[in-house]
Amino acid sequence: AILGEEAVSARTLVDRAHAAAAEARRSGAQRAVFFSQTASLGARAQLDAARELREAIEKRDVRLRYVGRHDLATGRCVAWVGYVRWMHALRGEIRPVEFLRIAETTGLATELSRAVLRCLREDCAALRTHWGADVQISFGALRHHVLHEDFVGDIERFLADSALPPQALELRIAERTLTACAPQLLQSLRQLGVQLVVDEVARDMGSLDQLAHAPLWGLQLDRAWVTAVRHDEVALKVCRAGIAVASGLGLTPIATGVDDPQLRDTLLGLGCRLGSGDLYTDSFAAAATDALAAGAMTGR
């Protein structure tokens, strides 16, 4: 913000500089952002959205929906994968891409991730009777939570409170988050006995050296590449490379967006053995998600 153009007092100048900074964070700009009335309105709208999100966290409107991950060859369910879900009282279900960005830019990401982890603990108690002995539960912690100094302690407490065997818990860490993780953090998580999966592989460029040294169990391909694999030569190359990297490192390649038999067969041909998508009718997952959401509402 520029004194004399956008402001005539020090207080107003600082307030408008804050608005420009918020706009820069929101848009991920790699350049200087100057104050404008549009930015000011955008910052106010973001604050309103942040207030709504905070209230949703407190009221437990942000929970998890579950999708089954299957063996692509046999169709056997091997894991329930939890994805964050916000059911707004007026606007219905809000896409994660909309509110996760708000959480990251307003400092709510760790609080949101911890709240969803608490929901997972409650869901485990309600749903474990429906799981086979070898079926895992998968949780994708948000970046700010993973990098928080208490993250390992949060997972340790979750395991103690939920009485879930450590090997039954899978932690999904986005590839861009993995690049910022200290080796000690990953080793500490692995010592707890949980399975570590790198998520959104091929969305960002990770380090092969880091992947080789990290105590990982699997690599999950980014959905956008998987769904485009049959009509986009670049997507095919990316998926083939991702699966080859996983196999070469002794890790399990995983696909998302497996929506039809032809795509499943293509992935099997590339060497991928596990996946989730519309091909599999997860009636229990849908019913369980609705029942848990209803239970959360009536239990307030």
Side-chain angles (χ1 to χ4, degrees), residues 15 17-29 33 37-55 86 91 97-109 144:
D15 287 344
H18 277 306
E23 175 65 15
R25 286 193 297 270
R26 185 194 66 77
S27 61
V33 173
Q37 291 297 336
T38 302
S40 180
L41 291 173
R44 291 193 187 108
Q46 188 177 31
L47 289 174
D48 290 340
R51 185 179 64 252
E52 279 194 290
L53 179 56
R54 186 181 294 279
E55 291 174 355
W86 180 8
R91 290 182 282 162
V97 68
E98 296 178 23
F99 66 86
L100 291 182
R101 179 175 295 179
I102 293 171
E104 288 185 351
T105 57
T106 57
L108 287 173
H144 290 73

Side-chain angles (χ1 to χ4, degrees), residues 115-133:
V116 175
L117 186 61
R118 289 193 293 270
C119 292
L120 180 66
R121 182 190 63 205
E122 298 166 3
D123 294 351
C124 282
L127 300 177
R128 282 184 66 187
T129 55
H130 297 274
W131 302 345

